[in-house]
């Protein structure tokens, strides 16, 4: 091979201009490493003497230029050295710009090498790549093992699409890339509608087949270069490169129509399926993968509450952002209060309905203090805690505090409020059973209250909860009775011990004939079913006397005493 072939050695003390002799009788001794120097403007690529043997080729001429080398990239290869150097986003500050890449090279048919290419390029006075020096190492065996491992974790086994982990990795890398070139991508999240009904109607195996088929159909309608991955049971994510809002909306409508307009075949017959989609443009509305996914999901959740089978793009909303900030603030307050024991109880007396209005028990009401000692309004804290899943921690703390009070005062009776999430929690039920087992005499002095609206949301689950609590020896009360318009049938199914009439009706008892009639009806229904009754928000003596005359058993409200953190039973015990 002569100098015209453009291949020269750059190894050790050899002359950089010396040619490599590959005569017919020369033996190729395999080597796993070779060095190179690339003169970028002329495209001349020079190699160390062991390079031909390492690559396993006799005709080394294609290796003599950068472009010739780039043309040997295998079909399955990621970007190679040319992109790493010529299209590098880096800037040479005098010490060169380092690069380290892996790619697949196919120097001849049937031969593929995976190589590790590490080097450094240096710029001209104009800042453009002038030359690159580096080392190439064959890593085919290592790469095969890594790629097998990566493939096992990169692909969702059911659908054949990218796994959630790999999809999020690609999303993060894509966002990094577009940040360097000021590009724009779209992220779509598509959720299969009513998958639970498909499970019920056709079985889980067929539902899995539908999920896989939806993934394939979505992929068939995607643009070249876009990616799809499975995010969860019924959700797919789609990354759209070089995407503007109109592009995303057009693609979403195309995908929606492809799923909606043609039924899916199944052994049980054709299945009609729709998907609902949310999307976000990044980095305009999201600068990292977690935010992008959250906002695309937020758009999806928002549109699903109004309509299924449509697309909604994420748009900033000042009110929503303010709510989100308020949620974060309240979350910090709740977590801090739990960690620093700033959750306390106030106690409101429940009295017999007839003079002398003897106190029979107290309702435990939540008090949470901020770090500065100010009282946080429960009306703000509780809804946020329920939405964010923190209410069970609060309910557990209230249970612990209430049982501690009962244990310290043998004659005391208390009632505590329990949220729907807690009522359905086996952990809370187990904790309650454990505390009662440790102190059996406490059970008969504790009443658990659940609101009527929550109780009738799922009557069967509530019935099981009531039975579980009663089996431990406690009573159960329906709070805010009348607000949810419980039917006679539901009330009979629940088999609670008492009802607490919603204070909104009691408060207006004197002024509203409608409210008086409604309270009378509720008292009559409870009396017919043998349930004890408590009237809430009783304002004065006049209303107290009227309620007693109608057969109400107990009163609670300003008439008999507001909630206080004082413990009057301790005073009574001290006087005794």
């Amino acid at each position: 091979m002569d100098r015209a072939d453009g291949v020269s050695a750059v190894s050790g003390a050899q002359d950089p201009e010396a040619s490599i002799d590959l005569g017919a009788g020369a033996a190729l001794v395999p080597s796993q490493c070779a060095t190179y120097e690339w003169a970028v403007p002329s495209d001349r690529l020079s190699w160390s003497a062991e390079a031909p043997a390492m690559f396993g080729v006799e005709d080394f001429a294609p290796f003599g230029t950068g472009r010739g080398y780039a043309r040997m990239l295998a079909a399955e290869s990621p970007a190679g050295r040319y992109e790493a150097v010529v299209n590098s986003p880096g800037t040479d500050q005098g010490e060169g710009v380092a690069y380290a890449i892996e790619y697949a090279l196919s120097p001849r048919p049937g031969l593929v090498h995976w190589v590790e290419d590490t080097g450094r390029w240096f710029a001209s006075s104009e800042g453009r790549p002038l030359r690159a020096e580096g080392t190439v190492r064959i890593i085919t065996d290592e790469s095969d093992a890594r790629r097998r491992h990566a493939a096992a974790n990169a692909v969702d086994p059911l659908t054949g699409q990218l796994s959630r982990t790999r999809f999020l990795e690609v999303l993060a890398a894509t966002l990094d890339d577009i940040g360097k070139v000021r590009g724009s991508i779209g992220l779509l999240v598509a959720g299969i509608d009513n998958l639970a009904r498909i499970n019920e109607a056709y079985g889980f195996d067929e539902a899995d087949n539908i999920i896989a088929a939806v993934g394939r159909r979505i992929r068939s309608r995607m643009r070249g270069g876009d990616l799809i991955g499975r995010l969860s049971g019924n959700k797919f994510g789609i990354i759209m490169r070089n995407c503007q809002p109109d592009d995303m909306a057009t693609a979403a409508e195309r995908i929606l129509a492809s799923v909606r307009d043609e039924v899916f075949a199944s052994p049980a017959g054709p299945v009609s399926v729709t998907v609902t989609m949310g999307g976000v443009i990044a980095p305009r509305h999201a600068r990292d993968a977690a935010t992008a996914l959250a906002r695309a999901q937020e758009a999806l959740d928002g549109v699903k509450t109004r309509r299924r089978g449509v697309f909604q793009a994420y748009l900033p909303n000042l009110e929503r952002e303010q709510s989100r900030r308020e949620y974060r603030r309240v979350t910090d307050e709740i977590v801090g209060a739990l960690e620093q024991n700033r959750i306390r109880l106030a106690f409101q007396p429940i009295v017999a309905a007839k003079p002398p209005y003897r106190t029979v028990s107290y309702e435990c009401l939540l008090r949470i203090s901020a770090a500065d000692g100010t009282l946080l309004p429960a009306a703000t804290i509780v809804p946020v805690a329920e939405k964010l899943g923190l209410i069970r921690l609060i309910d557990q703390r209230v249970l612990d505090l209430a049982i501690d009070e009962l244990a310290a005062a043998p004659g005391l009776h208390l009632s505590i409020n329990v949220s729907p999430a807690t009522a359905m929690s086996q952990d809370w039920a187990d904790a309650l059973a454990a505390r009662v087992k440790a102190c059996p005499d406490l059970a008969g002095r504790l009443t658990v209250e659940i609101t009527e609206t929550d109780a009738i949301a799922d009557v069967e689950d509530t019935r099981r909860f009531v039975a579980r609590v009663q089996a431990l020896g406690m009573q159960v009360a329906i709070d805010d009775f009348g607000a949810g318009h419980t039917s006679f049938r539901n009330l009979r199914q629940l088999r609670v011990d008492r009802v607490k009439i919603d204070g909104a009706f009691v408060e207006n008892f004197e002024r509203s004939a409608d409210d008086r009639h409604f309270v009378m009806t509720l008292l009559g229904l409870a009396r017919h079913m043998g349930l004890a009754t408590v009237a809430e928000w009783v304002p004065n003596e006049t209303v107290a006397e009227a309620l007693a005359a109608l057969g109400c058993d107990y009163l609670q409200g300003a008439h008999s005493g507001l909630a206080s953190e004082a413990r009057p039973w301790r005073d009574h015990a001290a006087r005794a």
Side-chain angles (χ1 to χ4, degrees):
M1 182 178 297
D2 60 27
R3 190 163 308 203
D5 291 325
V7 183
S8 54
V10 294
S11 177
Q14 296 178 357
D15 181 357
E17 299 296 320
S19 63
I20 299 174
D21 182 9
L22 284 177
L28 297 179
V29 180
S31 174
Q32 295 299 305
C33 185
T35 59
Y36 64 85
E37 181 177 327
W38 180 24
V40 179
S42 67
D43 201 30
R44 179 183 175 85
L45 183 58
S46 304
W47 292 88
S48 59
E50 61 270 27
M54 182 188 75
F55 285 113
V57 296
E58 295 186 4
D59 180 10
F60 205 61
F63 288 76
T65 65
R67 293 186 183 277
Y69 186 74
R71 283 194 291 269
M72 288 185 283
L73 288 179
E76 68 269 27
S77 176
R81 183 193 306 147
Y82 188 90
E83 286 77 10
V85 174
V86 176
N87 296 327
S88 171
T91 301
D92 183 5
Q93 302 294 337
E95 299 179 352
V97 178
Y99 56 89
I101 52 177
E102 294 181 7
Y103 49 85
L105 203 70
S106 181
R108 56 182 169 81
L111 177 63
V112 175
H113 293 300
W114 277 89
V115 300
E116 176 187 76
D117 190 337
T118 57
R120 187 175 293 271
W121 65 264
F122 300 87
S124 66
S125 59
E126 298 176 345
R128 299 187 183 127
L130 178 65
R131 62 184 175 88
E133 299 175 356
T135 302
V136 168
R137 184 171 70 92
I138 299 292
I139 58 168
T140 301
D141 291 342
E142 300 172 28
S143 180
D144 284 346
R146 284 202 304 270
R147 282 184 289 121
R148 282 194 299 270
H149 177 73
N153 294 283
V155 177
D156 174 61
L158 174 64
T159 64
Q161 314 301 344
L162 292 180
S163 66
R164 177 185 175 90
T165 299
R166 181 57 183 153
F167 181 86
L168 294 179
E169 290 173 351
V170 174
L171 176 60
T174 304
L175 285 168
D176 286 342
D177 290 343
I178 64 168
K180 299 171 184 175
V181 297
R182 297 185 180 180
S184 179
I185 70 165
L187 172 65
L188 292 167
V189 175
I192 301 174
D193 298 324
N194 302 314
L195 186 62
R197 295 182 183 177
I198 296 175
N199 280 327
E200 293 174 3
Y202 301 97
F204 288 98
D205 289 343
E206 192 54 43
D208 284 349
N209 292 335
I210 294 294
I211 293 170
V214 169
R216 290 192 296 270
R217 189 170 295 181
I218 291 175
R219 182 165 189 159
S220 72
R221 300 302 191 275
M222 288 164 43
R223 307 177 309 174
D226 293 344
L227 294 172
I228 179 174
R230 188 183 182 201
L231 298 177
S232 63
N234 72 324
K235 291 188 179 72
F236 292 92
I238 301 116
I239 299 172
M240 299 183 63
R241 295 187 171 96
N242 301 317
C243 178
Q244 298 300 322
D246 289 347
D247 301 326
M248 184 171 68
T250 299
E253 292 301 329
R254 184 170 62 247
I255 290 169
L256 291 171
S258 72
V259 176
R260 176 186 64 236
D261 294 346
E262 186 178 345
V263 297
F264 292 81
S266 79
V271 181
S272 179
V273 178
T274 62
V275 295
T276 302
M277 303 182 72
V280 66
I281 293 294
R284 180 183 302 177
H285 298 313
R287 295 192 174 275
D288 57 72
T291 303
L293 186 60
R295 290 184 170 172
Q297 181 66 53
E298 182 179 314
L300 171 61
D301 292 341
V303 73
K304 281 174 64 176
T305 61
R306 303 188 301 272
R307 187 180 171 193
R308 300 293 180 100
V310 295
F311 163 71
Q312 176 67 55
Y314 170 86
L315 292 173
N317 181 290
L318 181 60
E319 182 178 344
R320 181 177 57 210
E321 292 302 320
Q322 289 175 338
S323 296
R324 187 175 287 117
R325 286 194 293 271
E326 178 65 9
Y327 280 179
R328 285 196 291 266
R329 185 191 68 80
V330 173
T331 299
D332 290 343
E333 292 283 10
I334 293 172
V335 172
L338 287 165
E339 292 176 345
Q340 299 167 24
N341 295 319
R342 288 190 272 110
I343 293 180
R344 307 186 305 276
L345 297 180
F347 307 92
Q348 184 170 30
I350 299 173
V351 303
K354 295 180 180 179
Y357 303 118
R358 179 179 58 87
T359 300
V360 295
S361 67
Y362 294 86
E363 180 180 355
C364 299
L365 300 176
L366 181 66
R367 294 290 185 267
I368 300 181
S369 296
D372 61 4
T374 58
L375 196 63
L376 300 173
T380 299
I381 293 292
V382 171
V384 176
E386 289 180 335
K387 185 176 181 67
L388 300 178
L390 296 170
I391 194 65
R392 281 185 284 189
L393 297 176
I394 294 176
D395 284 345
Q396 182 62 53
R397 181 64 57 84
V398 169
L399 172 64
D400 292 340
L401 292 173
I403 288 183
D404 288 345
E405 294 289 346
L406 290 171
L412 179 64
H413 288 72
L414 298 176
S415 63
I416 59 174
N417 294 278
V418 173
S419 70
T422 301
M424 301 306 137
S425 168
Q426 187 60 46
D427 290 343
W428 187 86
D430 291 343
L432 178 63
R435 295 299 300 266
V436 170
K437 184 178 180 180
C439 301
D441 67 301
L442 301 182
R445 298 187 284 126
L446 181 63
T447 298
V448 176
E449 297 184 11
I450 52 176
T451 65
E452 180 189 17
T453 304
D454 297 328
I456 64 175
D458 191 325
V459 173
E460 186 58 31
D461 279 348
T462 303
R463 187 191 63 78
R464 285 194 288 267
F465 169 75
V466 170
R468 202 160 54 229
V469 172
Q470 289 173 334
L472 295 172
M474 287 164 279
Q475 291 193 337
V476 178
I478 293 288
D479 198 10
D480 299 335
F481 185 56
H485 309 294
T486 304
S487 69
F488 177 82
R489 176 174 174 272
N490 286 341
L491 194 58
R492 184 170 57 188
Q493 277 188 309
L494 293 176
R495 298 183 179 180
V496 296
D497 302 286
R498 67 177 65 175
V499 293
K500 301 184 72 174
I501 298 173
D502 190 358
F505 304 113
V506 177
E507 186 179 40
N508 295 319
F509 189 88
E510 290 181 282
R511 299 185 297 273
S512 170
D514 289 342
D515 286 348
R516 283 197 300 275
H517 180 74
F518 194 54
V519 170
M520 291 172 57
T521 302
L522 294 177
L523 288 171
L525 175 61
R527 185 166 54 251
H528 174 77
M529 300 188 68
L531 300 175
T533 53
V534 181
E536 299 181 297
W537 298 9
V538 179
N540 53 47
E541 180 72 18
T542 302
V543 175
E545 291 176 352
L547 291 169
L550 292 172
C552 185
D553 298 303
Y554 304 103
L555 309 176
Q556 182 179 356
H559 167 260
S560 51
L562 298 177
S564 167
E565 292 187 43
R567 291 161 173 77
W569 58 87
R570 293 182 180 176
D571 296 336
H572 298 160
R575 286 196 297 269

